Amino acid sequence: MIDSTGQVVAEAVLGDGIEHVATTPAGQTWVGYFDEGVFGNHGWGDPDLDGPEPVGVSGLVRFDERLQRTWEYPDTAGFGDIYDCYALNVTGESAWACFYDGFPVVRIADDAVSGWTNKASGVRAVVTDGLRCALVGGYGADRDRVVTGLLTDRGRLDVRCTTRLALPGGPAATGRYTVTGRGDVLHVLTGTAHLRLDLDQLFT
């Protein structure tokens, strides 16, 4: 970890198979892992090599300002295990995630996990203000899908609309791009461009 003056203030191994990294105002670091980080690779978790348990075995880990593990996604959360953390959104000190294989939308706040069932699979970005939610991405032809809805007190996403993500330049601009959510803003990285859409725009 490097501070604002360029000095190294902490070093640690965050593991293998890292899909997402996001930090908080308090200096916490959230890391989401894909399947190789969960199940092990390159010697992690290999009993024949006496390999250590993967750092990301839980799928989602929070580290403190010294890069020490302070929280891991519990297998008792009630929303299934994380086999691959497809989407991570960190806002303030809270985190939101959507993961394989059931793709629930879960929120972690003050170490407590709450969640909502969801029928959209392959989600690559979660954008939310805590009540409204947009799920961006999917498998195959649904890679540009945007599902918007409300996070109900019945524990499910109440879908209001399903649309497509349109980038400037039309179909020719929809080749390779990366999407990620941060709070109520969707960030799209394509080539050298960084595009932003807020939740109000996604709901229109």
Side-chain angles (χ1 to χ4, degrees), residues 167 176-180 187-196:
L167 300 182
R176 296 181 62 85
Y177 60 87
T178 300
V179 292
T180 188
H187 297 266
V188 183
L189 305 177
T190 175
T192 58
H194 176 190
L195 311 173
R196 292 165 49 102

Side-chain angles (χ1 to χ4, degrees), residues 125-196:
V126 175
V127 184
T128 183
D129 59 8
L131 176 60
R132 298 177 300 165
C133 185
L135 305 178
V136 182
Y139 294 122
D142 285 333
R143 68 185 300 268
D144 61 349
R145 180 189 60 199
V146 180
V147 177
T148 55
L150 302 179
L151 299 169
T152 70
D153 57 8
R154 297 183 300 280
R156 63 179 176 84
L157 177 68
D158 183 6
V159 175
R160 296 302 175 90
C161 185
T162 301
T163 58
R164 298 288 174 176
L165 182 66
L167 300 182
T174 59
R176 296 181 62 85
Y177 60 87
T178 300
V179 292
T180 188
R182 190 75 174 191
D184 61 357
V185 177
L186 174 70
H187 297 266
V188 183
L189 305 177
T190 175
T192 58
H194 176 190
L195 311 173
R196 292 165 49 102

Side-chain angles (χ1 to χ4, degrees), residues 53-125:
E53 181 180 69
V55 177
V57 67
S58 68
L60 181 62
V61 180
R62 187 185 68 221
F63 299 84
D64 66 15
E65 65 277 5
R66 304 301 299 179
L67 298 180
Q68 300 300 305
R69 277 187 280 185
T70 58
W71 185 89
E72 299 181 61
Y73 186 81
D75 57 11
T76 57
F79 303 103
D81 293 333
I82 299 178
Y83 301 135
D84 191 323
C85 185
Y86 271 50
L88 177 65
N89 180 335
V90 172
T91 177
E93 299 303 316
S94 299
W96 296 77
C98 190
F99 50 84
Y100 183 85
D101 64 344
F103 292 97
V105 178
V106 300
R107 177 178 187 249
I108 302 96
D110 298 323
D111 294 351
V113 181
S114 53
W116 297 262
T117 59
N118 155 56
K119 294 183 179 180
S121 61
V123 173
R124 293 295 178 176

